[in-house]
Amino acid sequence: DEEFTLEAINRDILRKQFDNPSIFLALTQASIAGPPLRNEPYRGDTLDAQLDDQVRKFLASEQGFRIDEVGKVVYTSALFDPTWYGQEFVKKYSIDRKFKDHTPVDRAVLNFISNYIPPESVQFLELENYQVKRITYNWRLNEK
């Protein structure tokens, strides 16, 4: 007999009960800039594989992650901003030995992202000098 808003589910259930920040890339706001909506339910017995698949799909999109090698800029989704979900990645993905020229949140996010992108992109992240910028979040409805 309890009622929950989507924000309450996110804040009070998902963030508190799951120790996996990938969950924030599985939630969708039905916007163009957000993770795509899966055409299947998340299930306990396949959840890890589903989350990994969801993260890979999101990071492969222009709204999730991209590298401008010429301009030396790495663009990450606004979802990785510290004021959104970026801080959630620090506990599990914090790293000091790589990405030293970046903030603790960006180091954690880059470390997380490195698990899901092609090796040549990982090499760029680990060896090049670049700025990290956020992709402006597009709230328009994703009608696909």
Side-chain angles (χ1 to χ4, degrees), residues 5-74:
T5 64
L6 292 176
E7 176 59 29
I9 291 169
N10 181 350
R11 182 189 63 243
D12 299 333
I13 298 172
L14 297 177
R15 283 185 172 181
K16 288 183 181 177
Q17 292 185 15
F18 293 94
D19 185 27
N20 186 346
S22 299
I23 199 99
F24 302 116
L25 303 180
L27 304 175
T28 183
Q29 290 83 20
S31 60
I32 289 175
L37 181 62
R38 290 183 75 84
N39 62 358
E40 65 182 6
Y42 288 100
R43 301 176 49 91
D45 58 334
T46 58
L47 183 60
D48 288 336
Q50 288 175 304
L51 289 177
D52 282 349
D53 180 61
Q54 189 73 7
V55 171
R56 285 184 207 295
K57 285 179 180 174
F58 182 62
L59 293 177
S61 76
E62 287 288 311
Q63 295 298 316
F65 171 79
R66 64 181 183 266
I67 296 175
D68 174 0
E69 291 185 12
V70 174
K72 302 289 188 186
V73 179
V74 170

Side-chain angles (χ1 to χ4, degrees), residues 5-141:
T5 64
L6 292 176
E7 176 59 29
I9 291 169
N10 181 350
R11 182 189 63 243
D12 299 333
I13 298 172
L14 297 177
R15 283 185 172 181
K16 288 183 181 177
Q17 292 185 15
F18 293 94
D19 185 27
N20 186 346
S22 299
I23 199 99
F24 302 116
L25 303 180
L27 304 175
T28 183
Q29 290 83 20
S31 60
I32 289 175
L37 181 62
R38 290 183 75 84
N39 62 358
E40 65 182 6
Y42 288 100
R43 301 176 49 91
D45 58 334
T46 58
L47 183 60
D48 288 336
Q50 288 175 304
L51 289 177
D52 282 349
D53 180 61
Q54 189 73 7
V55 171
R56 285 184 207 295
K57 285 179 180 174
F58 182 62
L59 293 177
S61 76
E62 287 288 311
Q63 295 298 316
F65 171 79
R66 64 181 183 266
I67 296 175
D68 174 0
E69 291 185 12
V70 174
K72 302 289 188 186
V73 179
V74 170
Y75 293 94
T76 64
S77 168
L79 296 174
F80 292 115
D81 191 86
T83 60
W84 284 41
Y85 301 122
Q87 198 65 40
E88 303 287 336
F89 291 83
V90 172
K91 179 180 171 188
K92 193 167 185 175
Y93 294 96
S94 180
I95 192 163
D96 290 328
R97 66 187 190 288
K98 293 192 292 187
F99 318 119
K100 292 182 180 190
D101 294 337
H102 302 285
T103 67
V105 168
D106 282 339
R107 284 196 311 263
V109 167
L110 293 169
N111 190 36
F112 168 78
I113 287 173
S114 294
N115 295 303
Y116 297 96
I117 58 175
E120 59 274 9
S121 295
V122 174
Q123 185 175 8
F124 181 90
L125 294 181
E126 292 179 349
L127 299 177
E128 298 294 332
N129 292 318
Y130 53 87
Q131 289 181 289
V132 174
K133 294 186 178 181
R134 302 290 180 243
I135 300 166
T136 302
Y137 200 85
N138 185 340
W139 284 101
R140 286 186 31 232
L141 183 62

